[in-house]
Amino acid sequence: MDGDRSGASGNDNSLDSEGNDRKSKLENAVLSWSKGVLKDQRKAGSGDRIDHGSSTGKFPALRRRKHIFVIAVDSDSNEDLLDAIRKVFEAVEKERIEGFIGFILSTYMTISEIQSFLVSGGLNANDFDAFICNSGSDLFYSTINPEDGPFVIDFYYHSHIEYRWGGEGLRKTLVRWAGLVTDKMEGNEEHIVTVAEHLSTDYCYTFEVKNAGRVPPVKELRKSLRIQALRCNVIYCRNGTRINVIPVLASRSQALRYLYVRWGIDLSKMVVFVGDSGDTDYEGLLGGVHKSIILKGICCNTSNQLLANRNYPLSDVMPVDSPNILQTSQDCTSTDVRESLENLLKS
């Protein structure tokens, strides 16, 4: 036994050395990661520092809320969206002022479009704690630090969704596809789908649609991209007049799960407000641990073409008898919203 042990001592040393090397590399990796986190936190401004006195982080404010309300109403009219926001705000005005409830705006719009929408509607960026933009490919937080501007982007969310993102190769393929979608009914080949460079971001390629009735179904586009080993989410937005192409791991519902993973937000304390219908990712916002309220009479003019472009029929994915989903009365008021919330949250 002693002889074997001494004879194998050289191997043990080599194994110990290899183990120490691995341990050293792991420690260095963790140290580098932590330095990066601290560096990004300093960049995010003083709002990202931890308040040890209250044991609660000042940034984002989501972590301090008792409930999180997500307004994910899809409409081709900003007036309808603004009306829905005001009804929800009025329904919980007291709790909103006291800071018990935080709000998230979830939409197909870019952050610059959201800023213009807030200004035109007389709203402030700080009325919301977070903004899920570009159909779920970007995540921003509101901040009161003037040096950072009204919004701070979450770069860690991008690392969460960038798996197998096609990048420039995907963009070129989509541009070629858009050039092939033409209207030949009147003898002239007018392009129906055009690239919207001013609306596109690194993780969202946006196209504007002139005639939604002439655009191929989303299933055909997705199938064509997968044949070329390009996996992504294709979302038909704004009643079919816009197309957002985002990473396959990105979506508005995925962004909510990310908030749970990163900030520990209790999904059972989250309420998602949607309209009668919406973009082709609408069904992903219904069901699950969180609760949902359907605002009847809002976004009820969705075209049949957009409904046909869904992944699944709404009747197959919307559990009408679920205790986590309630519908308001037609053309609801803030009082109706309040009653629905009381019935939903007490269950």
Side-chain angles (χ1 to χ4, degrees):
M1 295 288 291
D2 291 340
D4 290 343
R5 183 183 299 173
S6 62
S9 61
N11 293 335
D12 287 343
N13 291 336
S14 64
L15 290 173
D16 289 342
S17 176
E18 182 179 354
N20 290 334
D21 289 343
R22 290 180 178 177
K23 181 179 179 182
S24 177
K25 290 180 180 178
L26 180 59
E27 290 175 348
N28 290 335
V30 173
L31 181 61
S32 299
W33 175 82
S34 62
K35 287 181 178 179
V37 171
L38 293 175
K39 182 179 179 181
D40 285 343
Q41 287 180 344
R42 284 192 291 268
K43 285 183 178 179
S46 59
D48 199 21
R49 299 191 183 100
I50 303 300
D51 182 3
H52 295 285
S54 63
S55 70
T56 306
K58 291 183 179 179
F59 176 83
L62 290 166
R63 290 181 289 188
R64 303 197 305 270
R65 308 300 190 186
K66 185 177 180 181
H67 293 283
I68 299 295
F69 288 180
V70 182
I71 300 178
V73 174
D74 300 322
S75 176
D76 53 350
S77 167
N78 286 345
E79 288 74 18
D80 288 344
L81 176 57
L82 184 61
D83 182 52
I85 292 174
R86 286 173 174 166
K87 286 179 180 178
V88 176
F89 279 7
E90 291 173 5
V92 291
E93 184 66 19
K94 180 176 179 292
E95 294 84 351
R96 185 173 75 92
I97 294 175
E98 293 175 348
F100 293 132
I101 298 176
F103 293 88
I104 298 174
L105 182 60
S106 179
T107 175
Y108 66 86
M109 292 188 284
T110 65
I111 193 63
S112 59
E113 287 180 304
I114 288 177
Q115 186 172 16
S116 299
F117 165 75
L118 294 175
V119 172
S120 63
L123 300 173
N124 192 291
N126 290 312
D127 290 332
F128 296 88
D129 291 336
F131 301 88
I132 299 172
C133 314
N134 300 309
S135 299
S137 64
D138 287 302
L139 177 61
F140 288 82
Y141 307 104
S142 60
T143 175
I144 59 175
N145 191 343
E147 296 180 358
D148 296 329
F151 311 104
V152 174
I153 191 170
D154 189 335
F155 289 108
Y156 289 105
Y157 179 65
H158 287 160
S159 65
H160 192 74
I161 65 173
E162 65 182 359
Y163 173 72
R164 297 194 69 176
W165 175 234
E168 183 63 19
L170 172 62
R171 192 191 71 82
K172 291 180 179 179
T173 301
L174 291 170
V175 170
R176 287 196 297 270
W177 168 82
L180 297 175
V181 182
T182 56
D183 189 355
K184 302 178 181 180
M185 297 299 293
E186 298 180 359
N188 57 342
E189 294 189 1
E190 181 185 4
H191 289 285
I192 299 175
V193 181
T194 57
V195 181
E197 294 286 357
H198 62 292
L199 299 174
S200 299
T201 65
D202 291 341
Y203 292 90
C204 178
Y205 299 141
T206 301
F207 298 83
E208 293 180 325
V209 179
K210 294 182 179 179
N211 188 345
R214 300 292 182 184
V215 177
V218 65
K219 296 178 182 179
E220 292 186 11
L221 176 56
R222 187 183 294 112
K223 179 181 178 181
S224 175
L225 294 171
R226 285 183 176 177
I227 291 175
Q228 302 177 66
L230 296 171
R231 297 182 65 85
C232 55
N233 273 339
V234 182
I235 315 295
Y236 283 27
C237 316
R238 205 177 63 185
N239 207 7
T241 60
R242 180 185 294 190
I243 300 175
N244 281 347
V245 181
I246 60 178
V248 68
L249 294 183
S251 67
R252 290 191 288 175
S253 57
Q254 178 65 28
L256 298 180
R257 298 186 186 98
Y258 169 83
L259 292 174
Y260 158 73
V261 171
R262 182 167 191 198
W263 303 116
I265 296 173
D266 189 350
L267 292 179
S268 65
K269 300 295 182 65
M270 181 179 290
V271 181
V272 178
F273 293 86
V274 298
D276 270 331
S277 186
D279 300 344
T280 54
D281 63 345
Y282 172 85
E283 60 268 22
L285 297 169
L286 300 173
V289 178
H290 67 265
K291 298 172 173 59
S292 303
I293 292 182
I294 301 174
L295 304 176
K296 300 294 291 183
I298 296 179
C299 198
C300 57
N301 59 341
T302 304
S303 66
N304 293 330
Q305 178 69 23
L306 188 61
L307 293 175
N309 271 323
R310 298 197 177 283
N311 295 325
Y312 311 99
L314 288 181
S315 57
D316 292 347
V317 297
M318 194 176 81
V320 181
D321 57 346
S322 171
N324 286 341
I325 300 179
L326 285 182
Q327 302 185 37
T328 66
S329 58
Q330 191 71 23
D331 299 325
C332 63
T333 64
S334 59
T335 303
D336 297 325
V337 175
R338 178 82 185 190
E339 292 177 355
S340 297
L341 282 169
E342 290 175 350
N343 293 330
L344 196 61
L345 296 178
K346 74 179 180 181
S347 60

